[in-house]
Amino acid sequence: MDITPSYTIGKNRNQDRVITTKSNPGGRYQMKLDLKIILFTATTLVVPTFTQAADYLSIGSCPVTCTAYTWSAGIADVINKNVEGVQATAEETKGYVANIALMQGGEMEASMATSLSAYEAYTATGNYEGSEAGKVMAWMSIAPVAMHIIALEGGPVNSIEDLKGKRIGMGQPGGVSMLDANALMAKVAGEDFEPFRVRLGDMVDMLSDGNIDAALWNGSFPLAPLIKLSAQRDLKLIPVEDDFLDALRADYPPYFRLSIPSGTYEDVKDDTPTYGLANGLVILADVPEERVYQMTKAIFENLDALAGVHHAFSRVSADTILNGFGSPLHPGALRYYREINVPGIEEFVARTGG
């Protein structure tokens, strides 16, 4: 008789994760699992030798109402339907920063993350300095996020340089947008500014009321709070010039150039040059290569089905799958991308050292 645990997980630190049940991989009902109960079950249940437990893949996301949870649930469903021997679940977490910490602690196998978080986690630099390098690897880019430098017409901020010495909305603690705002302001102003670390909705209200001079947010456009602001006040977006972006990318290679198209927000009549990151999947290096190859293949061959879950997947292609990543691919993903001749794959490998 084999003793085969159904789950292998670590501690639920500070309630950062909510684990969905395997009978409910879409995550409609969440339950907080007691570690003692799990360990007791895992060490006392006797399972017949002919019952082989599946390989469990936990995909960290964010609070259940956010887009990344929808993405994770859709991906888990595709994997479960197309990859034999794997049971994937979407997990509600506190967000991307918590996801990387949970992965580094061995409590999740994969998660949503920004490409900057993926880079810093792999290199054990920045916000992940002192952690184990090489443990978290790039997997798949899904959608870009753009840095919005938000101000009002007639206000004191008309260029990036004007952010120095001003009252700046930065995003809430624990959110990845605040980390991007920190990087930007450190480059622009050092410590010569007054930060307000609140969520986007509050920043927009503070900007409208004159309580801050500008707000920074790195997110997928259009941002609903900015649509609301544009209906009430004369909104403007501050462009990012090449020289500033080049200096920023010297310290943060995953940032890449993109533009927010004209008309995205009512008051912004021209394209706004800025920069951004990728929202995407990362995975632990020790997940077997063949498993990652099969899961990558399943996801990529079912993008039409995933587009029915969320429209972001309709824009995923061989041309976008590497966007924004500055850390090496998991060997299983690399194997599949070479197989389908992803454009620029060998240049990417040489650049990232993968």
Side-chain angles (χ1 to χ4, degrees):
M1 304 290 281
D2 286 340
I3 299 175
T4 308
S6 294
Y7 291 92
T8 304
I9 68 170
K11 294 180 180 178
N12 186 2
R13 294 187 181 90
N14 301 318
Q15 304 298 330
D16 276 342
R17 68 192 292 217
V18 178
I19 304 173
T20 57
T21 62
K22 61 180 179 180
S23 61
N24 182 38
R28 192 169 296 174
Y29 304 98
Q30 280 72 44
M31 58 183 293
K32 302 233 177 121
L33 298 181
D34 188 304
L35 179 63
K36 293 181 180 178
I37 294 174
I38 296 168
L39 292 178
F40 176 80
T41 302
T43 55
T44 58
L45 279 180
V46 177
V47 182
T49 54
F50 55 82
T51 302
Q52 181 63 45
D55 287 344
Y56 287 90
L57 184 88
S58 300
I59 305 173
S61 56
C62 58
V64 70
T65 56
C66 79
T67 299
Y69 184 86
T70 302
W71 291 348
S72 297
I75 287 168
D77 187 55
V78 163
I79 290 172
N80 292 336
K81 289 177 178 177
N82 294 279
V83 183
E84 185 177 355
V86 177
Q87 179 66 59
T89 58
E91 297 194 17
E92 182 183 12
T93 69
K94 287 186 175 180
Y96 289 6
V97 175
N99 289 350
I100 296 293
L102 288 164
M103 290 182 69
Q104 289 175 323
E107 300 184 41
M108 292 193 309
E109 293 76 34
S111 79
M112 295 293 170
T114 68
S115 49
L116 179 59
S117 295
Y119 175 79
E120 291 186 339
Y122 182 82
T123 57
T125 57
N127 295 287
Y128 304 103
E129 187 174 358
S131 62
E132 181 182 346
K135 191 168 186 177
V136 177
M137 304 195 77
W139 187 1
M140 180 179 297
S141 179
I142 296 175
V145 293
M147 174 55 75
H148 292 65
I149 305 174
I150 310 152
L152 296 179
E153 292 290 351
V157 175
N158 297 288
S159 68
I160 282 186
E161 290 75 17
D162 291 340
L163 294 172
K164 186 174 182 179
K166 301 301 192 299
R167 301 166 299 167
I168 309 297
M170 304 285 287
Q172 73 272 29
V176 292
S177 193
M178 192 192 77
L179 303 181
D180 296 319
N182 288 344
L184 187 155
M185 291 307 300
K187 186 67 66 176
V188 171
E191 297 182 359
D192 184 12
F193 67 99
E194 185 178 358
F196 291 81
R197 303 187 187 280
V198 297
R199 63 180 185 167
L200 177 60
D202 293 332
M203 290 196 298
V204 166
D205 290 341
M206 293 173 72
L207 184 62
S208 179
D209 294 339
N211 294 320
I212 58 175
D213 301 307
L216 308 177
W217 190 265
N218 205 2
S220 299
F221 50 82
L223 298 170
L226 265 63
I227 294 174
K228 177 183 175 182
L229 178 64
S230 185
Q232 299 169 344
R233 303 293 301 274
D234 292 331
L235 167 74
K236 65 181 176 185
L237 297 178
I238 305 302
V240 177
E241 304 299 335
D242 290 340
D243 289 348
F244 178 82
L245 181 56
D246 289 345
L248 188 65
R249 291 191 72 245
D251 294 330
Y252 302 98
Y255 287 131
F256 62 94
R257 171 65 84 184
L258 55 78
S259 292
I260 301 172
S262 63
T264 299
Y265 304 104
E266 182 179 355
D267 297 325
V268 184
K269 304 303 183 183
D270 299 314
D271 291 353
T272 303
T274 185
Y275 63 92
L277 296 165
N279 262 322
L281 278 166
V282 294
I283 192 163
L284 289 180
D286 61 5
V287 178
E289 177 182 332
E290 180 62 24
R291 283 294 191 215
V292 178
Y293 170 82
Q294 294 295 340
M295 291 188 295
T296 307
K297 179 180 174 71
I299 294 167
F300 207 81
E301 291 182 353
N302 287 276
L303 289 174
D304 287 344
L306 284 167
V309 174
H310 193 276
H311 62 83
F313 289 104
S314 66
R315 298 190 290 270
V316 176
S317 70
D319 292 323
T320 69
I321 209 73
L322 301 178
N323 279 359
F325 277 122
S327 52
L329 288 162
H330 189 286
L334 175 58
R335 176 178 150 200
Y336 180 73
Y337 296 154
R338 278 176 164 157
E339 186 176 288
I340 63 170
N341 297 314
V342 165
I345 186 64
E346 299 308 329
E347 184 276 331
F348 177 89
V349 171
R351 173 167 54 85
T352 61

